[in-house]
Amino acid sequence: MTVPAVLDVPTEAPMTPAAERILDAAGTLFYTHGIRAVGVDSIAETAGTTKKTIYDRFGSKDGLIVAYLHRRSLRWRTLVLDFIRPLPVGRAQALAVFDATDEWMASWVRGCGFINAYAELGGTDHPGVEIIVEEKAWVRDLFAHTCTAAGYPEPDFLAGQLTLLHEGSIVARTAGAQDDASRVAKLTAQVLLDAPAREPS
């Protein structure tokens, strides 16, 4: 049976030890201090390598930003799919996305790394923007897949509602200091899934 594209996450390409150190260091620094605020010198120092090695492995700082966002996206998707795969396809999987988000966000006190990156890169032609947009679209596509599998009417509209709950819970948890945001969002999602609202005609 063919695996739906939304459930198929590519594996990370193997890297040299130096590239791994660079990407690990860049990921920590970009998330903690912001993409624009972190220079290649700081990344090289943290990774215990040289600027030349960074350019050799990633081509440029922009190339390193793309690699950071790509790795973050793959790891996030892998976590979510690990949560939902053991569950019945449909409603249970849709709700499990909120559980996965709760676990993921416990490690990221500055909020969503993709939203943070978009605040810096949005409105530009930076190649990282495409990765951010794709990640957000993937969440909605995942909800649409689960809602379609469960036989809900107008699954795309319901998926949009769940996506708004999901994204809002991330902001509420961090900027709003609402520690139970994922749980509240999940409970609200249950209401929608038990009595799905139809899109106004």
Coordinates of all heavy atoms in Angstrom, one line a residue, residues 32 42 100:
T32 N 18.1 30.4 19.8 CA 18.3 31.2 21.1 C 18.4 32.7 20.9 O 17.8 33.5 21.6 CB 19.5 30.7 21.9 OG1 19.3 29.3 22.1 CG2 19.6 31.4 23.2
S42 N 30.5 33.3 15.3 CA 30.0 32.7 16.5 C 29.7 31.2 16.3 O 30.0 30.4 17.2 CB 28.7 33.4 16.9 OG 29.0 34.8 17.2
A100 N 1.6 15.6 20.7 CA 2.9 15.7 20.2 C 3.4 17.1 20.3 O 4.6 17.3 20.7 CB 2.9 15.3 18.7

